[in-house]
Amino acid sequence: MRFNVLEHQLVPEHRLVAEEEADRVLKALKITRDQLPKIRKSDPVIQVLEKIEGPIEEGRIIRVTRVSGTAGVSEAYRLVIGR
Amino acid sequence: MMSSMRGVTKRIQSIKFALLSPDEIRRMSATKIITADTYDDDGFPIDMGLMDSHLGVIEPGLRCKTCGGKVDDCPGHFGHIDLAMPVIHVGYVKDIKKLLQATCRKCGRLLLTRQQAQEYMAEMEQVEELGGDVTEVGYVTKETAREAQKRQRCPHCGEEQGKVTLDKPTTFREDGHKLTPKEVRERLERIPNEDLRVLGMNPEVARPEWMVLTALLVPPVTVRPSITLESGDRSEDDLTHKLVDVLRINQRLRENRDAGAPQLIVEDLWELLQYHVTTYFDNQTSGIPPARHRSGRPLKTLVQRLKGKEGRFRSNLSGKRVNFSARTVISPDPILSINEVGVPVEAARELTVPVHVQAYNSEIVKQWVKRGPAPLGPLGEYAPGVNYVIRPDGRRIRVTDKNAEVVAEAVEIGYTVERQLVDGDIVLFNRQPSLHRMSMMAHEVRVMPHKTFRFNLAVCPPYNADFDGDEMNLHVLQSEEARAEARVLMRVQEHILSPRFGGPVIGGIHDHITGSFLLTYKESKFTREEVTFILSKIDIRDLPAPDVKKGGKEFWSGKALFSAILPKDLSMTFKSSIAPKGDIGLKELKEEDSLVVIKDGVVLSGTIDENGVGAFKGKILDKLARDYGPDAARVFIDKGTKMAIGAIMIRGFTTGIDDEDIPEEAKKQISDSLRTAIEKVEGLVDSYKRGELEQMPGRSLEETLEVEAMKILGRARDLAGQIAGKHLGIENSAVIMARSGARGSMLNLSQMAGSIGQQAVRGERLSRGYWNRTLPHFKKGDLGAEAKGFVKSSYKSGLHPTEYFFHAMGGREGLVDTAVRTSRSGYMQRRLINALEDLKVKEDGTVRNTADTIIQFKFGEDGVDPSRSVQGRAVDIDDILQEVLGEEPSWKERLREQEMASYGLTEKDMYVEISEEEVEVEEEEPPSEE
Ligand SMILES: [Mg+2]
Ligand SMILES: [Zn+2]
Ligand SMILES: [Zn+2]
């Protein structure tokens, strides 16, 4: 790894969500996976997460925790897609 | 049927553009067109003519020979013309040129080696794979073509290549020799499919030779209907005229060619055919004269139908005309409520609301209809009439004075009646450019005499309207659902708080603020007559007890009068806008009567001005709208503004240039201080020239001089303003306006009375114009104050010629800036709107697009509606604390809190508006490189 993007000041925290928890999240939001915003497997953040978590398949969910100007901290989710 | 349709959504996955092949043209053609004649002597369309009835029907009653449908069922069908000789399609000359240059003149192969071609192909595929869009793939193919064009000799057959040029608009030449469209077509035919793929073309749907036309598609008659004039003559559409030309020349060309006419004649006719086909597509092709109508008017052909502001896209697809709407000049009416709009009688008679006849209303509706289309009330005033009666089968009957009685008798349940506007009808009112949601609000109608739309001045800010000739649009809602929705969501009072900064956009302006100031400043008091006059404007009937009795006379204080319209439990503290700037003590604040303290609905101290009731800044408005609801806020604005106007009318208020009169002595003081400053700058310049100027860190010597000079001159202007300001007291009208926030600023006044000051371009003293000087009136290299744009005169005293010139230089920068800014921000706004227009906040607080996928998990991340926020925050903690604990925090703490709450919101932000003189921006992209 040349550079861990997650350590960059401007990159918010990304975490792989465990499958059981992912189902809970989807249930709470009353949505299906395809209704989530997407993130590519080739995204530098996923590359870094794969170094930590091992291979991440398509269809997994990532939680993004941002510092928010309005809400303090806000959480968002992304669906891992191909390429 | 309808219920099963609901929920079926289809998405466009991709759009493929292709060329029409001659085969396809013939296949989709309903008939071949061979004759230029349109109608026979009996007025029937001629077979295989341009109006052939296989092409669709435009006359009611007739049937289409292709599909058998009547006027509204038949969509129209294409025909075609077989061209005697091929012609170039103007729309594709660029592509044809590229292809001719990139391929071999003999074997037709791409002028690249097999390996090169493969490399480019691979590159293109890679871009596609990485999700590159059409433009990005286009960059690769463009590069491919450019590389191929460079090659002089064919790598496949060894042929030496000529130089292909384009003689605009449609003539191709090779080394100066003309290539006929036939030759061009033959060359394009020779290009093998696999080479086209490298150039980014899909040969299955777009063979290049199809860019040279051998058959011309004739659009259905429905696209080019002929109109019958009153005289009975037929008038044909411009496209038909053009097609007639094409057919005539085509015919002559065929005859001459078949008869073996001389080559020269055939070529001339061929070129003429090319001209007609070219202008049929685009009658503004550069390099050829536009085809004209007999009257001399240029014909509107295909491209002209689509292009520009009046074209199909901008005029019919992006924008549409609607019924039940009106447009006229606007003018002010301070008597109307902010929720109302004055509609001229003439407009009210044209604009109608559909009323469905039911058992409960059939009698009254019949009465309406009976009165005819222009009834008057008992006093000769406006009363609503009925324009149309619509039967259950959809037939419309126009109501006239003559038939009113008969029609009224026929009206029964199931009918719909179009009733003219009455007071209280809800309508939408709009002023362009509609940049935010407050640009279109719902108002209640007040039918009035005269010809303008009228509304309350407090509603000017959200519309950004003034009355120097502005016009506005009005739309009458046509369904119960729309009216209910408009009343709940769009009524003016629902928009007092803006979602842009969480404060009021509707509120007092100009004289409202001056009036409030005059009403409440210090010990202003009013006599019984005056109080009666002010209170008569609002519905307060009982005179409150007088506040002061003096010499047997009773007086009412302005603060008490103002308190009469405040809710009885309102308590708040804030600084007036007349408060001296900076961190000042309580004593000073009180001295200027600029600390507003309201306790239990009574103004105890302070002046009510812009910070109290002004649009954008009014703290009282803000609190009322938020804590007491839109109804209370609307009542407050209606009454407060009327009261303010009452107060200003009693005192009388005017301003003139003599408001900036200052004593001779002050003038002398100002000119002395300015001279001192100018001399100081001279001294600075001297020390710079002697090399004695001390350099500032990080700046060059020249920069140091400039900075110092600017500093001195800036201070000089301020000092001049201060000296002048000493003689401009709060009793001065101009000062009242500036301090209370009604209009103008103290800077404006000091520039009128004191000195205008340094003029600048790009933040620097003026320096451009002549070589080493600004004007020939100065010596070369003069760095003094006057030579570099310092204007020591005031607006009142008048400017010297050189000063006037400098002022124009500085002024122009401002104008250019605004023009540039507005066009850019207008374009950016448009792109943002296009990108965001179909996102919406769902019931669960998520923001979703039309595919129902989530864009944001919680609106704004905190789920707070900014128009219901406290300066962008969800709650006002101080306010709640005070309410719960009943403690009044010290005024200073409170003020500090308030300032912090409005973080990120500067005065400037609130006034930044995109001006209406939005510079024309082209619909699509900014101009491309060509
Ligand atoms: Mg105007
Ligand atoms: Zn038809
Ligand atoms: Zn060749």
Side-chain angles (χ1 to χ4, degrees):
Chain A
M1 205 186 305
R2 276 179 302 179
F3 175 68
N4 183 347
V5 286
L6 283 176
E7 275 162 25
H8 192 279
Q9 193 182 351
L10 297 177
V11 179
E13 181 187 323
H14 287 65
R15 270 175 204 272
L16 183 66
V17 178
E19 275 300 281
E20 317 86 74
E21 200 196 335
D23 290 333
R24 277 206 302 278
V25 167
L26 293 173
K27 216 167 175 183
L29 289 164
K30 295 188 183 135
I31 53 166
T32 52
R33 276 177 204 254
D34 61 304
Q35 285 173 290
L36 286 170
K38 315 288 185 284
I39 186 166
R40 279 189 202 283
K41 257 178 87 112
S42 55
D43 193 289
V45 163
I46 300 297
Q47 312 259 300
V48 173
L49 281 181
E50 282 192 321
K51 292 260 155 61
I52 306 162
E53 308 266 359
I56 297 172
E57 297 100 65
E58 287 176 36
R60 295 298 298 273
I61 293 175
I62 307 292
R63 178 190 291 116
V64 185
T65 313
R66 296 196 180 91
V67 174
S68 160
T70 49
V73 175
S74 87
E75 282 185 347
Y77 298 90
R78 283 175 184 274
L79 179 74
V80 180
I81 59 163
R83 275 197 270 129
Chain B
M1 180 62 195
M2 278 308 285
S3 60
S4 68
M5 295 285 288
R6 191 168 279 177
V8 180
T9 53
K10 294 188 176 180
R11 311 212 109 231
I12 296 170
Q13 200 159 52
S14 62
I15 300 175
K16 189 158 76 182
F17 289 98
L19 296 174
L20 276 179
S21 73
D23 280 347
E24 201 166 349
I25 290 175
R26 288 186 190 104
R27 231 179 301 127
M28 67 191 281
S29 160
T31 179
K32 183 173 163 176
I33 312 291
I34 50 167
T35 165
D37 301 322
T38 47
Y39 295 97
D40 64 19
D41 297 338
D42 303 326
F44 286 106
I46 292 172
D47 270 358
M48 300 186 96
L50 277 170
M51 289 303 180
D52 190 305
S53 28
H54 288 93
L55 302 181
V57 276
I58 43 172
E59 273 163 277
L62 294 182
R63 279 185 183 276
C64 166
K65 278 193 186 161
T66 303
C67 68
K70 283 193 188 164
V71 173
D72 283 335
D73 313 316
C74 168
H77 312 277
F78 283 95
H80 81 279
I81 299 171
D82 278 320
L83 297 172
M85 306 281 259
V87 291
I88 308 273
H89 188 311
V90 260
Y92 296 112
V93 279
K94 281 214 176 95
D95 305 84
I96 295 174
K97 184 183 169 198
K98 185 182 86 179
L99 286 161
L100 291 179
Q101 288 172 338
T103 56
C104 172
R105 61 191 300 264
K106 191 169 156 220
C107 72
R109 301 288 307 272
L110 183 61
L111 293 173
L112 290 175
T113 61
R114 202 170 296 255
Q115 198 201 338
Q116 275 178 310
Q118 273 166 0
E119 279 167 15
Y120 278 113
M121 195 70 195
E123 194 180 331
M124 188 166 77
E125 276 163 6
Q126 198 190 357
V127 171
E128 267 172 6
E129 191 149 318
L130 289 171
D133 58 17
V134 184
T135 35
E136 284 167 291
V137 174
Y139 292 139
V140 180
T141 56
K142 217 175 237 173
E143 179 59 36
T144 313
R146 202 173 311 149
E147 195 58 40
Q149 285 158 14
K150 279 190 204 154
R151 199 173 284 265
Q152 305 295 317
R153 189 183 294 275
C154 174
H156 306 283
C157 70
E159 175 79 10
E160 191 79 34
Q161 300 300 315
K163 192 169 185 289
V164 177
T165 52
L166 172 62
D167 220 354
K168 290 239 167 123
T170 50
T171 315
F172 287 98
R173 291 180 194 281
E174 187 178 47
D175 296 331
H177 298 291
K178 206 171 138 188
L179 291 173
T180 63
K182 202 168 153 218
E183 288 166 316
V184 171
R185 196 170 201 279
E186 281 161 4
R187 285 199 183 188
L188 296 174
E189 277 169 357
R190 281 200 291 268
I191 305 174
N193 280 351
E194 61 269 26
D195 286 2
L196 287 172
R197 292 211 171 81
V198 185
L199 290 168
M201 287 177 75
N202 175 2
E204 318 248 301
V205 295
R207 278 293 313 177
E209 64 267 24
W210 300 341
M211 297 175 182
V212 182
L213 301 167
T214 55
L216 185 68
L217 207 58
V218 175
V221 286
T222 40
V223 180
R224 43 185 181 87
S226 55
I227 41 169
T228 317
L229 299 171
E230 274 164 48
S231 59
D233 293 341
R234 269 221 174 79
S235 173
E236 296 299 335
D237 189 274
D238 282 4
L239 282 186
T240 311
H241 279 302
K242 206 60 236 177
L243 287 165
V244 167
D245 292 340
V246 171
L247 279 164
R248 284 221 184 93
I249 302 305
N250 196 40
Q251 186 62 27
R252 272 173 61 194
L253 178 59
R254 178 172 295 126
E255 284 163 10
N256 277 281
R257 185 198 57 192
D258 293 350
Q263 188 61 26
L264 213 64
I265 291 174
V266 173
E267 263 174 30
D268 276 359
L269 284 170
W270 197 357
E271 279 201 8
L272 199 53
L273 182 66
Q274 175 73 62
Y275 168 79
H276 285 309
V277 173
T278 300
T279 48
Y280 166 70
F281 285 118
D282 182 0
N283 202 18
Q284 284 174 330
T285 314
S286 58
I288 50 169
R292 283 170 196 281
H293 202 253
R294 258 177 310 210
S295 64
R297 166 184 69 86
L299 293 171
K300 258 192 142 182
T301 53
L302 289 175
V303 167
Q304 281 67 50
R305 281 192 176 198
L306 308 177
K307 229 168 119 182
K309 209 170 184 172
E310 253 107 76
R312 200 92 320 143
F313 291 103
R314 284 178 72 177
S315 162
N316 304 109
L317 292 162
S318 303
K320 286 188 156 60
R321 310 206 150 250
V322 293
N323 290 324
F324 307 104
S325 67
R327 180 184 176 92
T328 185
V329 176
I330 51 167
S331 48
D333 189 337
I335 309 296
L336 292 179
S337 160
I338 55 166
N339 273 341
E340 293 179 308
V341 61
V343 179
V345 169
E346 280 140 299
R349 292 246 181 256
E350 288 294 325
L351 300 168
T352 57
V353 175
V355 177
H356 303 286
V357 182
Q358 299 293 343
Y360 80 94
N361 66 5
S362 68
E363 274 318 303
I364 178 113
V365 170
K366 276 187 184 179
Q367 290 301 317
W368 289 344
V369 178
K370 213 181 229 168
R371 296 193 301 199
L376 293 176
L379 305 169
E381 81 279 19
Y382 172 90
V386 168
N387 289 350
Y388 282 97
V389 168
I390 305 162
R391 299 197 317 208
D393 64 0
R395 281 285 294 252
R396 290 171 158 268
I397 306 160
R398 167 115 221 172
V399 179
T400 61
D401 281 324
K402 267 188 198 150
N403 72 3
E405 298 243 350
V406 186
V407 176
E409 281 313 307
V411 170
E412 51 187 81
I413 295 169
Y415 274 54
T416 304
V417 155
E418 292 195 330
R419 189 210 73 210
Q420 293 166 1
L421 289 187
V422 280
D423 289 359
D425 273 334
I426 194 132
V427 294
L428 299 186
F429 200 39
N430 160 239
R431 182 180 175 278
Q432 283 99 352
S434 316
L435 295 173
H436 55 192
R437 68 188 199 191
M438 293 82 79
S439 290
M440 189 178 248
M441 293 188 286
H443 291 244
E444 283 158 17
V445 167
R446 281 275 290 270
V447 180
M448 301 178 124
H450 309 307
K451 294 182 188 280
T452 56
F453 287 139
R454 269 145 288 172
F455 59 89
N456 191 299
L457 289 127
V459 196
C460 287
Y463 289 122
N464 191 19
D466 49 37
F467 305 105
D468 59 2
D470 290 24
E471 292 179 54
M472 283 178 71
N473 302 322
L474 181 139
H475 300 269
V476 181
L477 298 163
Q478 296 290 306
S479 74
E480 282 308 335
E481 197 184 11
R483 282 188 288 270
E485 212 165 82
R487 194 177 286 277
V488 173
L489 299 173
M490 300 180 72
R491 212 141 60 118
V492 175
Q493 66 176 49
E494 311 297 331
H495 292 267
I496 293 170
L497 296 179
S498 161
R500 198 167 79 221
F501 53 90
V505 257
I506 294 169
I509 54 171
H510 307 164
D511 279 7
H512 297 148
I513 293 166
T514 309
S516 304
F517 173 89
L518 296 175
L519 182 71
T520 55
Y521 184 60
K522 287 194 175 165
E523 264 72 60
S524 63
K525 49 184 184 295
F526 299 86
T527 62
R528 174 175 287 266
E529 290 72 36
E530 289 167 344
V531 172
T532 317
F533 176 76
I534 294 173
L535 293 186
S536 70
K537 300 192 164 291
I538 56 180
D539 64 345
I540 293 182
R541 296 300 163 90
D542 306 311
L543 219 52
D547 297 280
V548 202
K549 275 189 189 156
K550 219 182 200 172
K553 275 189 109 182
E554 298 167 324
F555 290 100
W556 282 260
S557 82
K559 288 190 172 77
L561 293 181
F562 186 80
S563 304
I565 57 166
L566 293 175
K568 293 298 154 252
D569 57 346
L570 180 77
S571 295
M572 58 193 305
T573 311
F574 60 89
K575 263 198 270 187
S576 299
S577 88
I578 55 164
K581 298 283 162 288
D583 193 24
I584 38 143
L586 187 58
K587 201 173 137 249
E588 272 177 274
L589 268 182
K590 289 232 157 119
E591 245 160 47
E592 268 302 304
D593 197 23
S594 52
L595 180 68
V596 181
V597 177
I598 299 172
K599 194 113 207 234
D600 297 325
V602 178
V603 181
L604 298 178
S605 76
T607 308
I608 308 297
D609 53 19
E610 194 188 16
N611 277 359
V613 296
F616 300 112
K617 287 183 166 178
K619 294 240 160 48
I620 302 176
L621 285 178
D622 191 43
K623 190 161 172 78
L624 282 180
R626 204 182 306 289
D627 295 350
Y628 295 78
D631 278 309
R634 182 248 303 153
V635 170
F636 174 76
I637 295 172
D638 285 347
K639 289 187 178 171
T641 53
K642 279 182 201 167
M643 220 155 131
I645 287 165
I648 203 174
M649 283 165 82
I650 284 169
R651 197 198 95 138
F653 194 81
T654 184
T655 183
I657 192 65
D658 60 352
D659 273 346
E660 283 77 42
D661 275 344
I662 49 170
E664 274 311 312
E665 189 171 309
K667 281 187 201 160
K668 203 172 162 299
Q669 259 184 48
I670 289 173
S671 86
D672 285 346
S673 83
L674 290 174
R675 188 160 333 109
T676 324
I678 290 167
E679 278 162 12
K680 250 195 199 161
V681 172
E682 260 161 39
L684 213 61
V685 172
D686 282 343
S687 66
Y688 163 75
K689 285 195 171 147
R690 286 197 303 271
E692 288 168 9
L693 192 69
E694 200 179 318
Q695 198 167 341
M696 278 164 71
R699 289 230 154 82
S700 72
L701 219 51
E702 289 74 22
E703 284 167 345
T704 310
L705 174 69
E706 285 303 303
V707 171
E708 289 295 332
M710 288 279 270
K711 225 191 262 169
I712 293 167
L713 296 170
R715 252 184 262 137
R717 202 231 4 232
D718 292 344
L719 184 61
Q722 274 166 29
I723 297 167
K726 263 186 219 147
H727 302 276
L728 304 172
I730 193 72
E731 68 292 334
N732 181 305
S733 297
V735 176
I736 288 178
M737 290 193 288
R739 297 272 303 276
S740 67
R743 199 74 220 247
S745 62
M746 286 313 283
L747 175 67
N748 292 154
L749 296 188
S750 76
Q751 286 189 321
M752 284 189 266
S755 163
I756 293 169
Q758 179 66 46
Q759 297 300 304
V761 169
R762 296 182 167 198
E764 286 171 5
R765 294 204 294 162
L766 302 179
S767 58
R768 289 181 295 179
Y770 291 81
W771 190 78
N772 264 352
R773 51 181 166 170
T774 49
L775 281 173
H777 307 69
F778 304 102
K779 289 221 166 70
K780 288 180 189 124
D782 187 347
L783 293 171
E786 279 135 325
K788 297 205 83 183
F790 185 71
V791 180
K792 62 177 192 179
S793 310
S794 66
Y795 283 119
K796 188 164 176 247
S797 68
L799 286 74
H800 294 291
T802 53
E803 290 181 332
Y804 187 90
F805 188 86
F806 293 143
H807 185 250
M809 286 174 77
R812 170 167 297 201
E813 192 192 27
L815 292 181
V816 170
D817 269 13
T818 5
V820 171
R821 240 204 343 263
T822 49
S823 68
R824 283 213 208 130
S825 62
Y827 184 48
M828 193 182 81
Q829 165 119 3
R830 191 129 93 210
R831 283 182 296 178
L832 278 174
I833 289 171
N834 286 336
L836 301 177
E837 64 182 353
D838 48 25
L839 301 186
K840 63 175 183 182
V841 184
K842 299 264 285 197
E843 297 87 325
D844 62 359
T846 59
V847 180
R848 308 217 189 174
N849 62 12
T850 44
D852 215 26
T853 61
I854 292 183
I855 302 299
Q856 194 174 34
F857 286 82
K858 204 168 189 191
F859 173 72
E861 292 183 341
D862 59 357
V864 170
D865 175 353
S867 65
R868 278 152 216 276
S869 67
V870 184
Q871 272 94 48
R873 284 177 172 190
V875 283
D876 186 346
I877 289 284
D878 295 319
D879 214 61
I880 294 171
L881 281 179
Q882 192 197 327
E883 230 161 83
V884 175
L885 302 172
E887 277 169 25
E888 180 85 25
S890 91
W891 66 273
K892 214 158 185 182
E893 266 168 45
R894 239 189 117 65
L895 292 179
R896 192 160 305 126
E897 288 289 337
Q898 276 169 11
E899 264 146 40
M900 271 165 60
S902 55
Y903 91 101
L905 175 81
T906 64
E907 199 169 315
K908 240 175 159 183
D909 289 332
M910 293 195 277
Y911 288 103
V912 170
E913 256 301 342
I914 295 147
S915 111
E916 66 195 279
E917 281 85 31
E918 194 186 334
V919 176
E920 259 293 311
V921 188
E922 264 306 314
E923 181 69 16
E924 271 74 60
E925 300 270 63
S928 68
E929 71 272 26
E930 280 142 4

